[in-house]
Amino acid sequence: DAKTTQPTSMDCAEGRAANLPCNHSTISGNEYVYWYRQIHSQGPQYIIHGLKNNETNEMASLIITEDRKSSTLILPHATLRDTAVYYCIVRVEGGGADGLTFGKGTHLIIQP
Amino acid sequence: GAVVSQHPSRVICKSGTSVKIECRSLDFQATTMFWYRQFPKKSLMLMATSNEGSKATYEQGVEKDKFLINHASLTLSTLTVTSAHPEDSSFYICSADWGVQETQYFGPGTRLLVL
C-alpha cells in the first residue's frame, strides 16, 4: 500500500495558485517526499522532491511541515496544461534499487 | 532532467502473439530500469526491476515467463509480452534513475491493445 494519502480531486482557477496536500505520517527519517504528475495518456513527469527543507524549482514549490508528516505542493500560477493527476510518493533518496509505489493521487482540474 | 524513450508508443496485436517493448535511456546509462503497468483509471503498478547483465526481479503476482525482461546494455531494456491475451491490454511504462540524487524519470509509455 502507498504510504501517502491525498485528496481524490481538486479544482483550481486558471492563474491562481494550486495547493496540493499530502499526508505521510509514517515517513521514515531517511525518506524524501517526491512529487510527480501524469497528464492523460503520458508517462509520469518528475516535479520536485525534498527531505525537510522547503524546495523550489521552475515548476513548483514544496512545503514540508516541521514534523515531516505532511507536505504541500504549490503550483504558483496554474494553467490549463497543469490539469493532471499529481502523485506524492515517499522514497529513500538514492534508492536506485527500488521502484516507486504510487497511490491514487490527486486529480487536479484547472478551470478556465 | 533525463530523457527516457519507449518504442513503440502504441501497438495492436492479435491474441496469442508476442509483443516487444523497448525502453532506452537517451543521454545517460542506467544499470537499473523499472517496468510499470497501468490499467484504465488506475495507478501505476510496479511489475519488475530490470538489472543490466542479470535477471530481472519481479513483483509478486507478475509472471516472469509471460513478461520477459532483457537488459542487455546500459541504455536498453526490453519487455516482451508473450502469448498476449486481451487482459494484457494496458499502458506499459518504463523508468530509470538518473543523477547523483537518483531521481526516477519515466518514459512516455506504450499502449498495448490485444484483440
Side-chain angles (χ1 to χ4, degrees):
Chain A
D1 292 338
K3 297 174 65 175
T4 64
T5 55
Q6 300 176 249
T8 302
S9 65
M10 292 181 64
D11 286 354
C12 178
E14 187 178 17
R16 303 295 295 269
N19 298 283
L20 292 90
C22 178
N23 286 322
H24 31 80
S25 58
T26 61
I27 191 170
S28 300
N30 62 346
E31 287 182 318
Y32 286 65
V33 180
Y34 286 79
W35 282 84
Y36 287 81
R37 71 180 182 185
Q38 186 178 25
I39 296 170
H40 183 61
S41 295
Q42 297 183 23
Q45 177 188 21
Y46 166 77
I47 301 173
I48 199 168
H49 76 284
L51 181 64
K52 54 183 179 180
N53 297 319
N54 298 338
E55 302 286 346
T56 296
N57 63 19
E58 65 278 5
M59 290 183 68
S61 294
L62 174 59
I63 309 298
I64 302 173
T65 58
E66 192 169 343
D67 63 7
R68 303 209 324 120
K69 292 186 177 181
S70 66
S71 61
T72 301
L73 178 74
I74 301 172
L75 306 178
H77 304 287
T79 70
L80 297 178
R81 289 182 295 180
D82 292 322
T83 292
V85 178
Y86 287 75
Y87 296 99
C88 169
I89 298 169
V90 296
R91 184 198 194 203
V92 176
E93 188 186 66
D98 298 329
L100 300 181
T101 300
F102 284 81
K104 296 182 179 179
T106 296
H107 187 192
L108 175 66
I109 300 171
I110 306 301
Q111 304 282 2
Chain B
V3 178
V4 177
S5 72
Q6 285 183 240
H7 178 80
S9 58
R10 59 183 64 196
V11 57
I12 301 173
C13 71
K14 293 182 178 180
S15 185
T17 61
S18 294
V19 175
K20 180 185 285 189
I21 302 170
E22 293 184 349
C23 177
R24 294 182 186 273
S25 55
L26 293 189
D27 49 0
F28 66 104
Q29 294 182 331
T31 55
T32 303
M33 290 183 174
F34 305 92
W35 287 97
Y36 296 79
R37 179 169 54 182
Q38 185 176 32
F39 291 108
K41 299 189 185 300
K42 300 293 185 181
S43 249
L44 280 78
M45 292 293 292
L46 179 66
M47 296 176 66
T49 301
S50 171
N51 305 298
E52 188 268 336
S54 65
K55 292 183 179 180
T57 305
Y58 291 82
E59 296 299 302
Q60 191 173 7
V62 178
E63 300 175 56
K64 61 180 174 62
D65 294 330
K66 179 168 184 62
F67 298 99
L68 300 180
I69 292 173
N70 184 282
H71 194 152
S73 79
L74 289 172
T75 59
L76 173 64
S77 174
T78 61
L79 170 69
T80 301
V81 183
T82 63
S83 186
H85 288 95
E87 57 265 32
D88 298 322
S89 298
S90 189
F91 193 45
Y92 292 87
I93 309 166
C94 71
S95 69
D97 284 347
W98 174 84
V100 174
Q101 297 177 333
E102 294 190 301
T103 301
Q104 198 159 127
Y105 287 87
F106 289 81
T110 296
R111 190 162 301 282
L112 171 64
L113 176 61
V114 184
L115 301 177

